[in-house]
Amino acid sequence: MSQKDVSFEAPYPLQLRFRKIVLPVLLFLTLVIGFLMSNGSTWLIQKIYLEISENRAGIIDRALQGEDRIAWNDLQVSDNPWDVFKNDKGRHLLDSLRGEVQELGLSHLKIYGQGGLLLYSSEEDRIGEFDLSAGYLSALNGQRNLIEKQGKDGTKLYELYVRVPDNTNNIVMELYEPVNYLDAISMEVIIPATIVPVAVLILLGFGMNTLVGRAQKDINYRTDLLGEFRMRLQELLSDEAVHTLRAATGKGALTSKRVRATILFSDIRGFTDFCENETPERVVEFLNQSLGLVIDAVRQQGGDVDKMIGDAVLAHFQGDDAADRALKAAQEALRQIKNAKLAKQTGIGIYSGDVVIGTIGAANRKDFTVIGDSVNVASRLCSAAKGGEIVIDQKSLASCDFKGTSHLETINVKGRKDPLNIARL
């Protein structure tokens, strides 16, 4: 059996390919989606939080523009913040800044003026220092920043650098928030946003695997049924018919072909009389045994059993040594029938010539067989053979490796004008 036949008869490995191709892709997509959702959610939350911080900076600015407007404007352009905080308005401004930190729930607050000068810091001893940090410089250029930092007491904080909106003096504020506060918000959004699609993909994978597993069982079952059907059908058809059907699958109608072949035709002598005197069960048993010996002999020599017609067997052989193999099959069949001591003997006719192998019949009922004058001649030679005898045309015998004795003669064959030279073996 060819590799093509094996792949045709084997069930499609749906489950194997699903687990080798689809599941890894699904797992990869799950990881990618989980990663993107997690990082995307974190980025989105941080962006929102920075916008909130920018709004807080605007709130502080607007609050100071009210009652502390003069002192606040002076502080923004001051080179020395402590000079502003010395007078009454400045001290009130300082108290207002402390109040804003408490009211907004900030851990710390820094306000940067020109050149990175700290106009205000919750750590008031740092007021007046210059701090040209990367976060400040980025915020000064309009890029808000969130930096994780560890405080002196060991707690983690987020430094949020934002430029005060609608402020002509390029004031930058640095707001400190506890990490756990922002992380709590992040987890409330990230966990559902990440787990839900990942869980859906995992459940989808399990569901598809179960569905594919059931589909694979159904495919295997149907393939086994088709295989069993094919084996039973092959018992009813010739090898040539099966091969032609496979070759023509998906390619349209079956095609006929003309070939050179040796035809073997066997027939049981006195079978009609035997049937009259035996039960149907005994007739079938005898036929199975007698025809089985002929069929086995033909197949051992590489021949193809075309059909069984009642008590007759029609077979053909192809190839350069077709006649030799047909003769050996006939000799072996008669030898086995004789050894089996069957009630009736068989006569065999062999003839070589051109035949057509293909389908005949109506559109809705066809037969696949060998057709041609050579088949008719082989049938006539079989009719001329006695029980336990082989009748073969002399041309076919000449191409055989035959060492035994034969009786040569010329006979007239029905349907042919010229007599035929034959040999009786």
Side-chain angles (χ1 to χ4, degrees):
M1 185 179 294
S2 67
Q3 183 66 32
K4 182 178 179 180
D5 292 335
V6 173
S7 62
F8 176 77
E9 295 168 4
Y12 183 77
L14 177 65
Q15 189 173 36
L16 178 63
R17 295 193 177 183
F18 174 78
R19 290 178 176 177
K20 282 189 174 182
I21 300 174
V22 179
L23 274 185
V25 171
L26 201 59
L27 177 60
F28 174 75
L29 289 177
T30 301
L31 294 176
V32 169
I33 290 175
F35 175 79
L36 292 178
M37 291 299 296
S38 176
N39 285 272
S41 299
T42 302
W43 173 83
L44 181 61
I45 290 171
Q46 290 180 356
K47 181 178 180 181
I48 293 173
Y49 206 82
L50 284 168
E51 289 184 358
I52 293 174
S53 298
E54 190 174 76
N55 290 336
R56 285 183 173 183
I59 291 172
I60 294 173
D61 178 56
R62 287 192 295 273
L64 298 177
Q65 288 288 352
E67 189 175 345
D68 300 299
R69 180 175 182 180
I70 297 176
W72 172 236
N73 289 334
D74 291 340
L75 181 64
Q76 294 180 55
V77 297
S78 173
D79 293 332
N80 187 352
W82 287 114
D83 290 341
V84 177
F85 294 139
K86 287 178 181 179
N87 55 47
D88 292 339
K89 291 184 178 180
R91 283 191 293 271
H92 189 274
L93 173 63
L94 185 60
D95 290 336
S96 297
L97 288 168
R98 293 167 180 165
E100 289 295 328
V101 172
Q102 292 179 355
E103 183 177 347
L104 295 176
L106 301 174
S107 297
H108 299 285
L109 173 65
K110 290 181 181 179
I111 301 176
Y112 294 84
Q114 299 293 331
L117 176 65
L118 281 177
L119 302 178
Y120 173 79
S121 174
S122 298
E123 300 173 341
E124 296 183 1
D125 57 333
R126 298 196 58 189
I127 295 176
E129 294 181 2
F130 285 89
D131 184 3
L132 296 174
S133 63
Y136 159 73
L137 295 175
S138 296
L140 188 62
N141 294 323
Q143 183 178 351
R144 298 170 297 191
N145 264 297
L146 185 150
I147 300 174
E148 187 174 329
K149 184 178 181 181
Q150 188 165 355
K152 294 180 180 180
D153 56 355
T155 59
K156 290 185 178 180
L157 301 171
Y158 282 132
E159 295 180 352
L160 301 155
Y161 292 87
V162 295
R163 191 167 65 180
V164 177
D166 302 324
N167 189 290
T168 58
N169 294 316
N170 293 327
I171 299 301
V172 173
M173 290 190 185
E174 179 184 346
L175 297 86
Y176 288 70
E177 291 285 355
V179 170
N180 56 0
Y181 176 68
L182 184 56
D183 286 350
I185 299 175
S186 301
M187 290 302 102
E188 289 179 3
V189 177
I190 293 174
I191 290 179
T194 304
I195 290 181
V196 170
V198 169
V200 168
L201 286 175
I202 292 174
L203 292 175
L204 178 64
F206 278 112
M208 290 179 64
N209 185 63
T210 302
L211 182 63
V212 169
R214 292 179 180 176
Q216 186 66 66
K217 289 181 179 179
D218 187 62
I219 290 172
N220 293 344
Y221 174 72
R222 293 173 183 270
T223 303
D224 291 341
L225 286 181
L226 287 174
E228 182 180 350
F229 176 76
R230 181 191 62 79
M231 294 299 295
R232 293 185 178 183
L233 189 63
Q234 194 166 340
E235 293 175 356
L236 303 175
L237 299 176
S238 66
D239 293 339
E240 186 73 33
V242 173
H243 175 74
T244 303
L245 284 170
R246 285 179 175 173
T249 301
K251 298 180 181 179
L254 301 177
T255 58
S256 300
K257 59 180 179 180
R258 180 173 179 171
V259 297
R260 183 77 176 176
T262 297
I263 305 300
L264 182 151
F265 207 106
S266 74
D267 188 52
I268 299 174
R269 297 293 171 253
F271 181 69
T272 303
D273 295 337
F274 177 79
C275 291
E276 290 179 356
N277 300 316
E278 296 289 345
T279 63
E281 291 80 10
R282 173 62 183 142
V283 171
V284 171
E285 180 183 355
F286 168 75
L287 268 179
N288 289 340
Q289 190 174 7
S290 180
L291 298 182
L293 293 174
V294 176
I295 292 170
D296 289 343
V298 169
R299 287 181 170 172
Q300 286 174 7
Q301 293 297 326
D304 186 18
V305 178
D306 185 79
K307 61 169 55 67
M308 288 167 282
I309 311 167
D311 61 323
V313 174
L314 172 60
H316 67 275
F317 296 77
Q318 296 182 46
D320 296 336
D321 60 343
D324 187 58
R325 289 186 289 113
L327 180 57
K328 289 179 179 178
Q331 291 175 317
E332 178 63 21
L334 294 182
R335 183 162 42 251
Q336 293 297 331
I337 291 173
K338 181 179 180 180
N339 293 338
K341 296 181 181 180
L342 298 181
K344 296 295 180 179
Q345 293 295 307
T346 297
I348 298 177
I350 298 176
Y351 185 80
S352 300
D354 290 340
V355 295
V356 173
I357 301 179
T359 56
I360 59 171
N364 58 352
R365 178 63 175 89
K366 296 180 182 294
D367 189 16
F368 192 92
T369 185
V370 288
I371 310 165
D373 181 62
S374 299
V375 178
N376 297 331
V377 173
S379 176
R380 303 304 181 199
L381 295 184
C382 177
S383 299
K386 300 175 182 179
E389 185 178 58
I390 301 170
V391 175
I392 180 173
D393 68 289
Q394 291 186 23
K395 287 184 179 180
S396 296
L397 182 62
S399 64
C400 297
D401 184 19
F402 179 68
K403 305 297 183 183
T405 59
S406 62
H407 176 68
L408 305 179
E409 62 179 271
T410 300
I411 64 172
N412 291 316
V413 177
K414 183 180 179 180
R416 293 176 67 94
K417 294 181 181 180
D418 300 327
L420 184 65
N421 297 321
I422 58 110
R424 294 181 182 273
L425 313 182

